[in-house]
Amino acid sequence: MPSFSWRVWPALVNLFFPCAVIAEDPSLLNSWHDVWFFRFLVNMLGYATIIVPGYFLISYFKRSNYLDRGSGICYPLIKTCVFGGEDKSGLLDDVSTSSRNEPDSGSSVKHTIKLMFCAAGLQASYLTWGVLQERVMTRSYGAAAPDHDGEKFKDSQFLVFMNRILALTVSGLWCVLFKQPRHGAPMYKYSFASLSNILSSWCQYEALKFISFPTQVLAKASKVIPVMLMGKLISRKSYEYWEYFTAVLISVGVSMFLLSSTTSKHPSTVTTFSGVVILIGYIVFDSFTSNWQDNLFKYKMSSVQMMFGVNLFSCLFTVGSLLEQGAFFESLAFMTRHSEFAFHAVLLSVCSACGQLFIFYTINQFGAAVFTIIMTLRQAFAILLSCFLYGHAVTVVGGFGVAVVFIALFLRVYARSRMKANRQSSLPQKV
């Protein structure tokens, strides 16, 4: 037993202290700020300083029947945050689906131009976002001379805050300028999706310190595999044969790409394993976010209202944690030292906010199937662009694996659309 523990302990140290291992630093304490797991725990403690008091306040208002006996200037605010405006009343019909369900009265040329506009907007927003994401997290700033390495920006949480504050502003202006349905959900319920969204975004940025961008894109494209496993084990869901077939194809393609990666791009198995652990965290948090948002849509709300509510709490959580850690002003100082980073961070946030609006508009106008095809193409283009700009080496076997993954994704979209068309054709026609 002692010999087993001595073998396991170094592996755990390597996992949670990867930067120290790679640098061959005998003192782990000297690089505690570079340990991703430690940063994750510190961030969670920062969020807890907001979540825990909020939990006790909400519990108090609910136990004390504040909705019946409350009054005063704070009553409308507390009612909106804790109790909401109205009960669940089904999925929203008038705002988010009306324009898609109505027959297209315009010409096919106008319809095609609108589709090209949506596709171009999504591709431009998220391809630029992906390139900037890799640039900010993997390259140095301020390297004026060959003997000067410059300095890297390390705080992923600040980038999450930058993205969320701009998305909050854009969605807020959209809600003011355009008519929205009456809001009924208790505001605090957005905090659950907000927390998981923050953590998934943090994992997405943090993973680039340990794995290549193409690997991250392929891992995100293969989320269908753990989703199916969870659905089978927990919800006892049944799947069609083509869903199992495409899941196997995705697994094979991802395995081919990862196993063919050159060691020069992945200097140690420790680094790769740390990146895999962070990517698993991303998949878990992102899956929770989408499921919780689906539950929130049972209240009458538009997608932009959802965007506003989630980003409101995201800004609250991230700015609170950054101020408590002292990282907020450190990041601002980094921006003042490196104007190029400031430009990249702002452009990164603009692309993220515009991309979210294009997502809502595309789904509203053309449906989820068309949106999925556009975003799948975007992932393929993102891998090619990253390899071209940042020199990621992809072998023939790895390239074939990438092709297998995207062929499987397109097969899923095609099979799902065919099944949906067959179901609709089997329904009795109204006379």
Side-chain angles (χ1 to χ4, degrees), residues 124-144:
S125 298
Y126 283 104
L127 285 176
T128 306
W129 178 80
V131 170
L132 289 173
Q133 183 188 40
E134 186 170 9
R135 168 66 180 89
V136 169
M137 298 307 300
T138 63
R139 299 296 190 270
S140 300
Y141 288 93

Side-chain angles (χ1 to χ4, degrees), residues 33-61:
H33 200 295
D34 294 330
V35 181
W36 68 266
F37 188 72
F38 180 85
R39 289 196 304 274
F40 177 81
L41 292 179
V42 171
N43 291 345
M44 290 298 294
L45 288 175
Y47 306 147
T49 60
I50 300 173
I51 294 172
V52 173
Y55 169 78
F56 285 113
L57 280 175
I58 293 170
S59 300
Y60 167 75
F61 288 127

Side-chain angles (χ1 to χ4, degrees), residues 87-129:
D87 295 330
K88 293 182 181 180
S89 54
L91 292 174
L92 180 65
D93 297 324
D94 54 341
V95 174
S96 44
T97 61
S98 57
S99 61
R100 178 158 44 94
N101 292 333
E102 294 177 354
D104 187 14
S105 58
S107 64
S108 59
V109 175
K110 182 179 179 181
H111 185 80
T112 303
I113 293 175
K114 188 182 294 185
L115 177 60
M116 292 175 62
F117 170 74
C118 291
L122 286 169
Q123 298 290 349
S125 298
Y126 283 104
L127 285 176
T128 306
W129 178 80

